[in-house]
Amino acid sequence: MKHSDDIPSALAQELHQLKWILSSLHMKGIEGWPTRFRAGCAPTPAAGETVCTGASERLSLDAIRRELGDCRRCRLHQGRTHLVFGEGSAAPGLVFVGEGPGFDEDRLGRPFVGRAGKLLDKMIRSIGLERDQVYICNVVKCRPPDNRTPEADEIQTCSPFLLQQLAALQPRVICALGACAAQTLLGTGSAVSRLRGKVHSWRGIPLIVTFHPAYLLRNPSQKSGTWQDLLLVHRILHPT
Ligand code: URA
């Protein structure tokens, strides 16, 4: 198993993500913050809310959803029927990250419920899990017109919410489905074919890249590579 989380690339990835977070705060009009932070300054969770364990600055999933609100931060809101936040276990071992909602997802407000979703369900079952045992979300939360790839500024605006979701969930493994998710999380422009087959790291959490199920529907010959990637995921979840 190759590990690609050497210090320079991990640092570059952290800096890339920090840049996005800062620029999204800037777009909200936040240009600085108090020079002194109080420990435990996270919002008090409402009764019954899923509180994420660990650092006090981590928001709960519910708080992240509230912060997203009726989002109009980028042009993608104009064509949406439903914002698709994500769904699944609140304490998952595994999180799948896709690109963005398609037609069916936009209609129902749920991730991966169309043809690609049916294949993702099979992928999940192939490693002995059920859909409700994992968490599934996307880089952008609103459907791009005609299912086009999200633009860089749309990703930049929306991805801080994805990063917050991952930080809240703290899974044991993240599986990036396709180039958009992989490149966003790893801060790279490399192709999936170069990124798959090894263990990367997102803020210390193992991250596996594989082909997007929609791509596999068009290119079934690549399925064998994806099953290998899923075996890698399984091995991390169940070390011998
Ligand atoms: N493709 C994605 O990337 N995400 C979905 O939710 C559905 C299809």
Side-chain angles (χ1 to χ4, degrees):
M1 194 183 292
K2 274 189 272 176
H3 283 261
S4 70
D5 51 345
D6 52 294
I7 289 168
S9 78
L11 189 60
Q13 185 190 327
E14 291 290 332
L15 287 173
H16 180 83
Q17 285 165 359
L18 186 60
K19 204 173 98 189
W20 278 11
I21 292 166
L22 289 175
S23 94
S24 114
L25 288 173
H26 189 250
M27 283 170 71
K28 287 186 197 165
I30 300 168
E31 302 197 335
W33 48 73
T35 50
R36 282 195 306 141
F37 276 108
R38 213 162 27 91
C41 59
T44 310
E49 206 170 276
T50 321
V51 183
C52 305
T53 53
S56 59
E57 68 273 22
R58 260 182 229 147
L59 296 177
S60 70
L61 278 186
D62 296 339
I64 299 163
R65 180 64 191 89
R66 271 201 303 277
E67 165 71 13
L68 194 51
D70 180 28
C71 185
R72 287 154 198 243
R73 293 170 179 83
C74 84
R75 67 185 82 79
L76 292 184
H77 81 273
Q78 289 162 0
R80 77 164 176 241
T81 311
H82 290 107
L83 186 154
V84 181
F85 181 65
E87 69 178 24
S89 165
L94 173 59
V95 174
F96 286 96
V97 182
E99 179 175 300
F103 176 83
D104 295 300
E105 293 75 21
D106 174 65
R107 197 166 50 87
L108 297 173
R110 298 178 55 207
F112 281 99
V113 288
R115 273 186 77 219
K118 297 284 165 278
L119 181 53
L120 179 60
D121 290 348
K122 282 190 193 165
M123 290 162 60
I124 294 168
R125 279 199 294 272
S126 78
I127 48 171
L129 292 169
E130 291 298 326
R131 188 178 161 108
D132 62 5
Q133 292 178 292
V134 304
Y135 191 86
I136 306 172
C137 56
N138 285 302
V139 173
V140 297
K141 311 299 189 208
C142 298
R143 182 191 181 205
D146 300 321
N147 297 343
R148 66 158 168 74
T149 306
E151 311 245 341
D153 62 322
E154 294 157 357
I155 294 174
Q156 184 169 334
T157 304
C158 209
S159 61
F161 295 97
L162 166 67
L163 305 187
Q164 287 180 351
Q165 283 172 295
L166 295 174
L169 291 163
Q170 289 291 304
R172 288 171 53 210
V173 197
I174 297 167
C175 183
L177 301 166
C180 178
Q183 294 174 353
T184 300
L185 291 173
L186 294 174
T188 175
S190 296
V192 171
S193 53
R194 291 181 66 90
L195 296 170
R196 57 159 298 274
K198 48 187 145 180
V199 183
H200 302 267
S201 163
W202 181 84
R203 297 189 189 171
I205 299 172
L207 182 149
I208 305 291
V209 174
T210 197
F211 295 111
H212 192 288
Y215 173 84
L216 292 175
L217 290 171
R218 296 190 302 272
N219 302 275
S221 64
Q222 302 284 13
K223 280 187 183 172
S224 60
T226 292
W227 304 139
Q228 286 165 22
D229 299 331
L230 291 169
L231 278 179
L232 214 46
V233 169
H234 186 268
R235 245 181 271 153
I236 297 169
L237 289 173
H238 304 282
T240 47

